[in-house]
Amino acid sequence: MKNSGIKFFEKAEKHRKSAEYATAIELYRKALVCFKEESDIVRMLDSVISLADTFRAKGEFINAREYYEEALELADILGDRASRADSLTGLGLSWRALGDWKDALDLIGRAQKLYRGLRDKKGEAFSIWARGGTYRIKGDIKKALRDFHSALEKFKALRDKSGIAYSYCGLGGSSRIAEAFGDSEKYYASANRLFQESGDRFGLAYSFCGLGNVRRMRGAYKSALAYFRKAEVLYKRIGDRVSYAYTLWSVGTTHLMIGEKRRALKSFKEAMDFFIQTEDPRGKIYCILGIGEIDYLEGNKSKAKKAFTTALASADKYGFAVERGYAERLLKALKAGSGLPVNLP
């Protein structure tokens, strides 16, 4: 039975590396059953963390959160500080994706202290990268850029190509929000080259979507849609509903900017369904704003105002500074009777 658990785990690792997440989850669960029957807590912990990481990569953050919490309990039983730090970081990333950036910052900060105490340079770099993304969701772009640059330098010192590539993606996204589109495209292109070399399908999809959004902001809509199609194919194959939904929002916004309102509405509604399923409040806000813009363009100003006001209230509730700014910008444009549609970064 022990060998069976190990075999299931090793097979799961291969499938996860190929971004075949659904198969990996099934195999990790089988491995976990075997290890529980043997009371092998060390391997149980490895399986639980792997399940949490895979669910997070798939965009299923509630499941990921539950497994990270279980991992913390097992890590405490074993006195495994490294696994505790990994679980705290993963838990923080899961809470962040569900809109709770405050608890995420606390969890990631606790993990960072553990990594430093363990002199785990790679873990510390990862926690800084995770904190950067959390600041981006909060809307503190200055701190996000600071942390992504810091993580990049640390990953470069470690010669960790994957960490370097994901730091480039973080810089690409934050630079786009800061409207530094040239920097954004440079960072995403650098990440894309590294992901092409490593064969990281999730990373490729991430960088394709980033490149598409930069092209969209620069008015190169045909090129943007081509990049989004590449991202969509990969995200569908991976089964990441959240990242796919954000890509759909980007596609919808692109169609909106070129006057294809029906196609835009279809993409926004499809994305909204995924965001509701995964309980992603930021994604919902973006879709509400997009649908509100279409309402305005269709002549229904009262409906548009209601949408923008709803989005503003949600942004206030979660403390999303960037999304609050977007909602206020659209309300101001509506009041002035001009300036729509808006190509949001």
Side-chain angles (χ1 to χ4, degrees), residues 48-69:
V48 170
I49 290 177
S50 295
L51 275 164
D53 288 343
T54 310
F55 272 119
R56 182 168 58 81
K58 198 169 181 285
E60 297 187 23
F61 301 110
I62 293 173
N63 285 329
R65 186 180 63 190
E66 290 173 0
Y67 277 111
Y68 282 127
E69 288 171 348

Side-chain angles (χ1 to χ4, degrees), residues 117-281:
L118 292 164
R119 296 184 181 178
D120 183 343
K121 292 182 179 180
K122 185 174 180 180
E124 185 180 357
F126 178 55
S127 67
I128 292 170
W129 174 86
R131 188 177 65 187
T134 307
Y135 278 126
R136 181 188 168 192
I137 285 178
K138 178 188 175 185
D140 193 334
I141 304 306
K142 186 176 180 179
K143 286 183 179 178
L145 287 166
R146 177 203 67 190
D147 280 352
F148 285 133
H149 276 297
S150 177
L152 177 62
E153 292 310 308
K154 289 183 182 298
F155 281 126
K156 281 183 175 179
L158 294 165
R159 297 182 181 179
D160 184 326
K161 289 186 178 181
S162 179
I164 291 168
Y166 280 101
S167 296
Y168 280 141
C169 282
L171 286 165
S174 298
S175 296
R176 187 180 75 249
I177 300 300
E179 300 189 14
F181 303 128
D183 287 343
S184 180
E185 185 156 10
K186 177 187 70 177
Y187 288 130
Y188 276 125
S190 296
N192 188 266
R193 284 192 294 271
L194 289 171
F195 290 134
Q196 294 279 4
E197 291 174 9
S198 67
D200 183 336
R201 287 197 289 181
F202 177 85
L204 273 173
Y206 187 177
S207 56
F208 280 140
C209 189
L211 286 166
N213 277 315
V214 175
R215 296 295 173 89
R216 171 174 62 82
M217 293 310 301
R218 289 182 149 181
Y221 300 121
K222 186 176 180 180
S223 176
L225 288 170
Y227 275 120
F228 292 142
R229 279 193 290 272
K230 290 181 180 181
E232 281 184 277
V233 168
L234 289 169
Y235 282 136
K236 278 185 179 179
R237 192 177 301 166
I238 291 167
D240 184 340
R241 291 180 295 168
V242 173
S243 299
Y244 178 59
Y246 275 105
T247 306
L248 283 172
W249 172 82
S250 298
V251 169
T253 303
T254 307
H255 284 305
L256 183 61
M257 295 311 297
I258 56 180
E260 296 178 346
K261 291 179 289 186
R262 187 171 296 179
R263 287 187 175 183
L265 184 60
K266 181 177 181 294
S267 292
F268 289 145
K269 286 185 174 180
E270 190 177 350
M272 177 64 98
D273 286 342
F274 284 119
F275 288 132
I276 289 170
Q277 290 170 30
T278 56
E279 300 187 29
D280 186 317

Side-chain angles (χ1 to χ4, degrees), residues 299-307 334:
N300 197 333
K301 292 186 179 181
S302 62
K303 199 171 180 181
K305 184 178 180 180
K306 183 179 179 182
L334 184 147

Side-chain angles (χ1 to χ4, degrees), residues 10 14 20 27 43 55 81 83 86 90 101 116 122 153-154 178 188 200 214 250 255 264 268 286 324 331:
E10 288 175 347
K14 290 178 182 177
E20 296 165 349
L27 289 165
R43 288 197 171 96
F55 272 119
R81 295 168 68 206
S83 292
D86 292 342
W101 55 264
R116 283 177 178 168
K122 185 174 180 180
E153 292 310 308
K154 289 183 182 298
Y188 276 125
D200 183 336
V214 175
S250 298
H255 284 305
F268 289 145
Y286 281 110
R324 175 186 171 81
L331 280 166

Side-chain angles (χ1 to χ4, degrees), residues 287-329:
C287 290
I288 291 168
L289 292 175
I291 292 169
E293 287 199 75
I294 293 172
D295 289 331
Y296 176 86
L297 294 171
E298 294 287 346
N300 197 333
K301 292 186 179 181
S302 62
K303 199 171 180 181
K305 184 178 180 180
K306 183 179 179 182
F308 300 156
T309 304
T310 298
L312 178 60
S314 184
D316 277 339
K317 176 184 175 181
Y318 288 96
F320 297 151
V322 169
E323 289 71 25
R324 175 186 171 81
Y326 293 158
E328 289 176 335
R329 180 179 172 185

